[in-house]
Amino acid sequence: MMLSDLRSMTLADCRELMKTLGEKDYRAEQLFSWIHEKRAASIDDMTNLSKALRGQLKENLDDTPLVTVRHLVSKLDGTEKFAFRLPDGNVIETVLMKYEHGDSVCISSQAGCRMGCAFCASTLRGLVRNLTPGEMLSQIYAVSASTGKKVSNVVIMGTGEPLDNYDNVIRFLRLITDPKGYDLSARSITLSTCGLVPAIHRLSEEGLPITLAISLHAPDDFTRRQIMPIAKRYAIDEVLEAADAYFKVTGRRVTCEYSLIAGVNDSEDHAHALGRLLRGRGYHVNLISVNPIRERNYRESAVSSVAAFKKILEKYHINVTIRKKLGADIDSACGQLRLEVAEDPAAKSEET
Ligand code: SF4
């Protein structure tokens, strides 16, 4: 029998299960609270459920926790990178960034990625599989357990294209924002996409006021197609139309991510083209110099080019932030996360 993933359970799932087991309805609330509010490490820890019921739950649910196989702390800025081993041996990465306003966690939504962006390490082995809602939540629960604090922000910007794992990501979003669970505000969540147009339209109808970030990285289709294969399927105009619709329906200002790659997309002409494209749309642009990965020879833009690019965008009355690179010494910056397969399951590890 295939076991259901414990941490993917919604309250409705808990109710259904308790009904099947002939238990009273309030048991479902207790179970949900153990999973998502108290974040029990295992079914055995759910001490207000009888031993017999816990036994039945173990027959139906998989409570295997993520195992921390590596935990690195940046000497530059205190950013932390966690490598978690999934029950099937794949190792995914999660990044904790510490800000004055609180902790922000960047989670992975897939093991690997099939989008093929040329500057990104996450896609080098292609897509292995989608993560379950429970595996996405477990990354946050594990980081919270490590710091002893609730996280303030979640960004779905690690390995994977979240809208390529649509149903699981939506279920994850409903669970993480559930007032009876982790209870994170939807406004504290950002989902980053390379631009899957139909899925952006669908997302705008979900009633989840999260921030949408579009990984744009080029102001024209010709340049974008050179670095992002998805640009061959959807033109920039279609992506921005979908983003505009998202803004209109949700009232949430859209963010544009733009990684500056020396000699590819960082000229003054590119900046003017981007300015003309985004003028009047009300988006916020995050500029970041590309993070080099060893398999590609893309180079970072010079600090002066990044500053000049920003200045030009501001002439078009666009809000621009130059994003600080965080955790570059531990390969935890954007585009540097990668998929591994655990070589030695017996290697020093801690359960979370
Ligand atoms: S940038 Fe995002 S969508 Fe593109 S390959 Fe990397 S993980 Fe996938």
Side-chain angles (χ1 to χ4, degrees):
M1 182 185 69
M2 182 83 174
L3 295 180
S4 298
D5 172 13
L6 174 81
R7 294 173 190 85
S8 294
M9 300 272 287
T10 62
L11 185 54
D13 297 330
C14 294
R15 288 213 162 96
E16 192 63 41
L17 178 62
M18 289 302 178
K19 204 168 148 196
T20 317
L21 298 177
E23 291 286 337
K24 296 236 163 52
D25 194 56
Y26 74 91
R27 292 285 183 209
E29 299 234 2
Q30 285 179 325
L31 176 60
F32 188 80
S33 161
W34 275 116
I35 305 169
H36 299 294
E37 193 188 354
K38 302 191 188 96
R39 300 186 285 286
S42 72
I43 291 171
D44 283 326
D45 290 349
M46 303 179 178
T47 46
N48 63 356
L49 304 181
S50 70
K51 210 171 166 199
L53 177 54
R54 278 184 268 152
Q56 282 180 304
L57 292 177
K58 283 198 268 185
E59 280 170 24
N60 288 278
L61 301 169
D62 182 1
D63 64 353
T64 315
L66 295 183
V67 176
T68 307
V69 289
R70 207 164 45 249
H71 180 191
L72 302 172
V73 181
S74 165
K75 290 192 177 71
L76 301 174
D77 50 48
T79 294
E80 298 182 25
K81 180 164 83 169
F82 297 80
F84 295 121
R85 188 172 62 234
L86 305 173
D88 63 3
N90 284 301
V91 175
I92 52 161
E93 296 186 321
T94 306
V95 179
L96 163 65
M97 295 153 286
K98 293 177 170 168
Y99 296 103
E100 266 171 33
H101 62 265
D103 290 346
S104 183
V105 176
C106 176
I107 64 161
S108 294
S109 57
Q110 296 180 309
C113 182
R114 60 177 172 155
M115 295 296 139
C117 301
F119 45 83
C120 177
S122 303
T123 196
L124 292 168
R125 292 183 179 196
L127 174 67
V128 175
R129 69 168 175 88
N130 287 327
L131 298 191
T132 66
E135 287 167 337
M136 289 179 248
L137 282 164
S138 292
Q139 297 170 61
I140 296 161
Y141 295 175
V143 172
S144 274
S146 165
T147 60
K149 281 195 292 180
K150 202 172 152 181
V151 310
S152 313
N153 290 84
V154 168
V155 290
I156 315 173
M157 220 181 256
T159 296
E161 162 53 57
L163 297 185
D164 190 37
N165 182 14
Y166 191 89
D167 292 342
N168 285 341
V169 166
I170 295 297
R171 182 184 268 245
F172 157 77
L173 290 169
R174 298 211 188 283
L175 281 167
I176 191 90
T177 54
D178 192 312
K180 290 186 172 145
Y182 197 83
D183 193 21
L184 189 72
S185 158
R187 291 167 188 276
S188 305
I189 302 172
T190 298
L191 180 149
S192 172
T193 177
C194 64
L196 303 188
V197 170
I200 296 172
H201 284 297
R202 215 175 140 196
L203 183 66
S204 64
E205 303 297 335
E206 296 284 355
L208 287 161
I210 59 170
T211 299
L212 178 71
I214 303 286
S215 292
L216 197 63
H217 309 312
D220 62 85
D221 289 319
F222 177 77
T223 310
R224 198 164 191 258
R225 281 181 200 134
Q226 290 176 335
I227 49 176
M228 298 180 74
I230 193 68
K232 293 175 191 149
R233 187 145 29 123
Y234 302 111
I236 287 180
D237 282 352
E238 294 174 271
V239 175
L240 296 186
E241 248 170 55
D244 287 343
Y246 185 86
F247 187 15
K248 205 167 161 200
V249 174
T250 63
R252 301 292 294 157
R253 189 170 65 152
V254 172
T255 298
C256 254
E257 304 292 338
Y258 198 105
S259 288
L260 290 152
I261 309 172
V264 175
N265 64 358
D266 68 339
S267 70
E268 294 195 357
D269 284 350
H270 288 120
H272 282 290
L274 188 64
R276 288 191 295 273
L277 189 68
L278 299 186
R279 178 169 44 195
R281 287 193 131 105
Y283 296 1
H284 187 99
V285 176
N286 281 327
L287 293 179
I288 190 158
S289 203
V290 77
N291 294 299
I293 56 170
R294 56 183 176 269
E295 293 83 355
R296 304 272 187 271
N297 56 2
Y298 288 124
R299 285 179 301 107
E300 302 165 81
S301 289
V303 174
S304 56
S305 308
V306 180
F309 206 95
K310 176 174 189 264
K311 234 176 174 173
I312 291 171
L313 290 182
E314 283 169 344
K315 284 190 186 143
Y316 293 85
H317 305 290
I318 293 169
N319 283 311
V320 191
T321 304
I322 296 178
R323 286 218 343 243
K324 270 201 261 171
K325 289 189 179 207
L326 293 174
D329 58 331
I330 53 169
D331 273 2
S332 68
C334 287
Q336 293 186 315
L337 300 189
R338 56 183 68 225
L339 176 75
E340 298 167 34
V341 177
E343 307 85 15
D344 178 9
K348 190 169 172 286
S349 60
E350 34 174 298
E351 289 205 346
T352 50

